Amino acid sequence: MSEETPVSKAPADKAAPEHAGGVPVEDSTAPKDPKGSKETGETPVEQRPAGEEHDGPVSESDALRSLAQGAGRDEDERSESLRAGAIADLIAQRLNADASGTRIGTLALFNDSVSFGGGFHTDGRRTTGTRARGGTSVLAVDANELTEHTDLFVQPEGYDDALDALREHRILVLTGAPGSGREATGVNLLAEAMALGGTGDGGCHRLLAPAVILESGWTPPVKNGGYLAVLEDGPAGVREFTAAFGVRSAAGTRLRSTAAADGGVGQLAAVAAALRASDSHLVLVGGRDLARAAAGPGGDTVGRHELAPVDPRTIVERRVLGLGGDPGARAELSALLESTGAVGALREQPAARHAADLAKVIRAGGDVAAAVAALRDPSEQVRGWFDRFREPEALAFALASAVLEECSYLTVADAAVDLWPALTPPDEPLYDLRFRDRLGHEQQWIRLDFGDGPAATGPPRVRFRSPLLGQVILAYAWRTLDSHRRSVLAWLRRLLTHADVEVRARAAVSAGVIAWADHHYAVHRFLTSWASSTSWPLRQSAATALGVAGSRPESSEAVWQLLHEWARGGTSAGQRRLAGTAANAVGGLLGRDAPERAVAVLRDALDREDDWGTLPSVAWGGVHLVHQGQAGVLLNAYLDWSEPQDLSPMVVKSLSAFVFAVSQPYEERAGGPDGDGPAGVPGAPVLLSGLPRHAEPLAELWARALARRPVQDTALEALRAWIDDYADKCPGALDSIGALLVGIARRPGRHRERLLWWLAKWAGDRENPSARAQELLRLLERRT
């Protein structure tokens, strides 16, 4: 039960009617608005320059005034806080759910003893060696490998055109993404070209040193043969061929002199002539950089073909069922692919080699579900990719996508360009970066989503094919790219002050993912400095990062201990900001999953003797807990903390935080606390829409707040807002408010006469009379 503050002699109030019955001084009719504190000499909050942090002692009056004005945050900052929380929810749900059929544990993410196989690694081949004249090393493709490549081969679109180009020019530049089946296609093209020519007795061979063909006087080591030359992906792999095709380097200078380049182009013609003379064919296989080189003037000398992707499901069906396959067998295979998740796995990793490997398991009667789980394991994909691609531009875009997934391509590309110089050796020349060109080659795991249907509008969004890849990339890069860790952290820090609120929020979430790798390192390297910063965006970022880090069982306890330590800290400006960050953090993911622990942190941050500086942060933390669906736990805490009902700081702080919570309207987000809908009615306080569920604690807290100065003024403003501004937004709200007021009025003390006086005042307001207040006044008079 609430109690009255001891009554003191009240000054005459000409506005108060006689039937008010000697309303105490705490019931003054107008909220006070002091211009400054005579006791502390401080400048009121609203008179300080915009954006200035107040590092000195915070007085009670300033703290309450700041709270009444929205805790000193503008609408953009509030929106950022809510959006960051929503994004953190989404990321944590992705990581902690068994979304792919295999749970990613700490071993898969961080333990270097885990063995990784497959993925993006180049497969070994069964070959036999031959030493030909001139000392040129070639490897003959044996019968087993030839059968593996050609038996049940699925021809990609445009295959016949590529075959015609090879037969016409004798040299074919075949380009495609790693794992796209480009080598198998090359072997098939050579086999068919030799068969059609009727002189294929020389067999198929691999050239171990492709650049040897550019040497003067080169001739095929074996006549009547086919030659496959696989160039390493990346600029380094085709460096020798760029001059041969007459291509300038990215820095704008020729890699060789013009004369040398012209000589290279001439050498390609000589190679074609030598192949024709020995009735042989050559296929140069490579990726995007080879395609770019072959687009130069020398490309007219050779045939060129870009490999079109083949439906991986078609490859599985062909290799399992053969060229035929009755409808029953086809339906059985389709059901197997659907039930084991293979369809989704091949959609995420559409490379032809993954389909071929899966087909082997099915043909052998192996564990298909286990093979699918291994295929979808993002840690395996990440390890393999980082082992293969180490160029700054590839790393920059992968990391930018991992941090800013779901953002537009231009946003991600700009962030990658910003990171790229820090990953590039000092003596490396700058050149134009075109990340989009790499998405189908090195960056197969990243796609551009243009939306659904022909009417889709807006910029393409950058997304990973697997929802878990981005976070594994961040963790792996943080643990393994030792020379780049400082640069990545500096770049991430810059993103936290980006003009786009979504970029800032996603960067903060990514910082939380990084904190998993080494909690101690993260706390002392960046989280503490961000959490105690004078910059609100940095403090919000630290809170979001801690929420994400604490959502993992292995790091949860360490995060909670850190938050309690910050909340109980001293009263210096920096320690006060740490306590505020702790209060902010527990209002998100952490508070939703462990509300009792969250309110314990809020109490630590609030109960700091005469330090009022943490009140706004604690009040906002409470609001966020309410929006997470934890209103009951918070209201019980406020009841406990304000139980003495005196003028002690903790009572005033608790009731002030309560009034702040009942005043904040709910902003609709994507999914509520359990992902099954919003936590409240958009535009109205959650505690109003949830009033029937929490009627008793709300009635007691309202009674205490309405009876206590200095909380009383803001409580009265909040009550009138409920009646006049929010009641129409919530069905049945006015009836609930009526029941609430009846419950308050029946409590011992002056609660009834206080409510009757204020309802009559609002109902008779000359400038803005309240019909709802009049209705509630009649209800209260009738029922009490």
Side-chain angles (χ1 to χ4, degrees):
M1 299 295 292
S2 61
E3 300 175 0
E4 294 290 342
T5 303
V7 179
S8 59
K9 179 76 173 173
D13 187 348
K14 62 181 180 180
E18 292 182 358
H19 71 267
V23 177
V25 68
E26 287 75 12
D27 290 322
S28 67
T29 59
K32 302 297 186 297
D33 187 21
K35 299 300 181 182
S37 172
K38 295 181 180 180
E39 296 179 0
T40 64
E42 297 173 7
T43 304
V45 172
E46 74 277 6
Q47 294 181 13
R48 300 186 185 117
E52 178 184 322
E53 289 284 351
H54 180 49
D55 289 346
V58 178
S59 68
E60 174 184 349
S61 59
D62 273 357
L64 294 176
R65 188 179 304 107
S66 177
L67 198 62
Q69 296 171 354
R73 304 181 189 178
D74 58 27
E75 289 302 316
D76 289 340
E77 289 175 342
R78 279 202 59 210
S79 177
E80 175 186 10
S81 178
L82 292 173
R83 185 179 299 185
I87 294 174
D89 280 353
L90 178 62
I91 296 298
Q93 288 168 6
R94 284 179 177 175
L95 292 175
N96 296 325
D98 197 5
S100 66
T102 57
R103 183 174 299 279
I104 302 174
T106 53
L107 289 179
L109 282 172
F110 307 127
N111 192 330
D112 292 337
S113 67
V114 174
S115 174
F116 296 88
F120 291 96
H121 289 289
T122 304
D123 294 335
R125 299 294 179 184
R126 299 181 301 275
T127 56
T128 57
T130 298
R131 178 69 62 179
R133 68 180 182 274
T136 303
S137 294
V138 295
L139 292 172
V141 178
D142 66 16
N144 289 333
E145 185 180 354
L146 187 63
T147 299
E148 181 181 345
H149 280 316
T150 57
D151 190 26
L152 302 177
F153 173 71
V154 178
Q155 292 184 357
E157 183 180 352
Y159 178 85
D160 291 338
D161 294 335
L163 181 59
D164 292 341
L166 174 60
R167 298 188 66 200
E168 176 185 354
H169 294 277
R170 297 288 172 152
I171 304 176
L172 176 69
V173 174
L174 180 66
T175 55
S180 61
R182 59 190 184 183
E183 291 186 36
T185 302
V187 171
N188 276 269
L189 288 170
L190 288 172
E192 288 205 45
M194 291 187 293
L196 291 172
T199 56
D201 57 321
C204 288
H205 305 268
R206 292 176 182 273
L207 288 178
L208 297 184
V212 72
I213 70 172
L214 300 178
E215 296 179 359
S216 178
W218 179 85
T219 58
V222 180
K223 291 185 177 182
N224 304 326
Y227 295 91
L228 184 72
V230 180
L231 276 63
E232 181 183 349
D233 290 298
V238 299
R239 184 172 290 118
E240 295 87 351
F241 285 85
T242 53
F245 287 109
V247 179
R248 293 180 180 273
S249 73
T253 58
R254 289 188 183 273
L255 293 175
R256 299 181 182 181
S257 66
T258 302
D262 292 341
V265 173
Q267 179 60 18
L268 286 175
V271 171
L275 290 165
R276 196 178 303 277
S278 67
D279 206 1
S280 298
H281 300 79
L282 169 65
V283 176
L284 288 173
V285 173
R288 183 191 65 87
D289 291 289
L290 177 60
R292 189 192 320 192
D300 295 338
T301 310
V302 303
R304 289 180 290 163
H305 184 76
E306 183 174 356
L307 197 62
V310 179
D311 182 2
R313 188 163 180 169
T314 301
I315 296 175
V316 173
E317 292 174 349
R318 174 70 61 83
R319 288 181 174 254
V320 173
L321 302 175
L323 296 175
D326 60 78
R330 191 170 296 276
E332 184 179 350
L333 176 60
S334 178
L336 176 65
L337 296 177
E338 291 286 352
S339 63
T340 58
V343 174
L346 293 175
R347 187 181 302 116
E348 293 172 5
Q349 294 203 68
R353 72 161 169 271
H354 298 315
D357 292 341
L358 188 60
K360 288 181 182 178
V361 176
I362 297 174
R363 287 203 313 269
D367 189 340
V368 180
V372 170
L375 180 60
R376 300 189 78 173
D377 183 356
S379 54
E380 179 177 344
Q381 300 174 49
V382 169
R383 174 69 66 89
W385 188 89
F386 274 94
D387 284 348
R388 186 175 184 126
F389 299 106
R390 303 194 176 196
E391 294 150 339
E393 53 266 43
L395 295 177
F397 195 81
L399 291 172
S401 300
V403 172
L404 302 177
E405 185 181 4
E406 303 288 342
C407 290
S408 70
Y409 169 77
L410 294 181
T411 298
V412 177
D414 285 349
V417 170
D418 183 40
L419 175 61
W420 176 76
L423 307 181
T424 304
D427 56 348
E428 189 77 15
L430 297 176
Y431 63 96
D432 63 325
L433 298 175
R434 303 184 186 187
F435 299 114
R436 191 186 293 241
D437 292 345
R438 295 180 172 271
L439 295 185
H441 294 266
E442 297 99 315
Q443 308 278 12
Q444 295 177 72
W445 52 12
I446 302 172
R447 65 186 176 91
L448 291 183
D449 190 345
F450 291 87
D452 298 325
T457 59
R461 297 280 170 174
V462 175
R463 291 188 172 94
F464 285 94
R465 295 186 183 275
S466 166
L468 303 174
L469 272 171
Q471 315 313 312
V472 183
I473 287 173
L474 278 175
Y476 183 86
W478 185 254
R479 288 293 298 266
T480 58
L481 302 182
D482 296 331
S483 60
H484 298 318
R485 189 176 300 113
R486 181 173 298 179
S487 299
V488 171
L489 182 57
W491 167 73
L492 193 63
R493 167 66 177 78
R494 292 194 297 272
L495 291 182
L496 295 175
T497 56
H498 195 279
D500 188 339
V501 62
E502 185 176 2
V503 170
R504 298 199 299 270
R506 291 186 180 277
V509 171
S510 299
V513 173
I514 288 175
W516 295 341
D518 190 328
H519 172 77
H520 182 82
Y521 181 94
V523 167
H524 295 282
R525 183 66 178 85
F526 59 90
L527 285 179
T528 301
S529 63
W530 294 357
S532 61
S533 171
T534 58
S535 166
W536 153 250
L538 277 184
R539 295 199 301 274
Q540 170 61 38
S541 298
T544 300
L546 286 167
V548 175
S551 68
R552 299 287 292 191
E554 60 271 18
S555 55
S556 175
E557 190 60 34
V559 169
W560 280 110
Q561 290 178 4
L562 178 68
L563 294 176
H564 279 291
E565 178 184 334
W566 286 356
R568 297 167 182 157
T571 57
S572 70
Q575 291 171 319
R576 183 185 301 122
R577 289 193 290 268
L578 286 176
T581 301
N584 189 12
V586 300
L589 287 172
L590 297 173
R592 184 191 67 189
D593 296 334
E596 291 81 5
R597 300 194 73 169
V599 296
V601 171
L602 292 181
R603 175 158 193 162
D604 287 342
L606 196 63
D607 193 9
R608 293 161 57 92
E609 298 181 356
D610 292 330
D611 182 7
W612 288 76
T614 58
L615 174 58
S617 296
V618 171
W620 271 112
V623 170
H624 294 155
L625 272 181
V626 170
H627 291 183
Q628 294 282 4
Q630 303 298 339
V633 176
L634 182 72
L635 293 176
N636 288 335
Y638 285 157
L639 284 172
D640 180 50
W641 304 345
S642 62
E643 181 61 30
Q645 300 186 60
D646 53 22
L647 295 179
S648 61
M650 191 59 181
V651 171
V652 176
K653 291 176 184 179
S654 302
L655 294 177
S656 297
F658 162 74
V659 172
F660 187 75
V662 299
S663 303
Q664 298 307 308
Y666 176 72
E667 294 184 16
E668 190 171 16
R669 301 184 342 183
D674 296 317
D676 56 358
V681 177
V686 174
L687 291 176
L688 172 57
S689 58
L691 177 55
R693 295 191 301 273
H694 307 289
E696 185 57 31
L698 280 171
E700 178 62 23
L701 285 168
W702 269 111
R704 294 179 186 181
L706 290 169
R708 287 292 166 272
R709 291 293 310 275
V711 184
Q712 184 189 68
D713 294 334
T714 52
L716 288 167
E717 293 176 0
L719 181 58
R720 182 163 189 185
W722 270 29
I723 295 171
D724 288 338
D725 299 336
Y726 299 127
D728 285 344
K729 298 180 183 294
C730 304
L734 196 60
D735 291 338
S736 298
I737 294 174
L740 171 74
L741 297 183
V742 169
I744 296 173
R746 287 175 174 172
R747 280 167 160 73
R750 300 180 182 274
H751 299 294
R752 180 179 184 275
E753 56 186 324
R754 178 184 299 108
L755 289 174
L756 291 174
W757 191 90
W758 280 101
L759 288 172
K761 178 178 175 61
W762 297 336
D765 190 330
R766 293 182 180 180
E767 296 182 359
N768 186 24
S770 172
R772 295 184 187 87
Q774 182 64 51
E775 181 179 344
L776 291 170
L777 176 63
R778 290 195 296 267
L779 172 70
L780 208 60
E781 290 174 335
R782 184 172 63 253
R783 295 185 57 184
T784 60

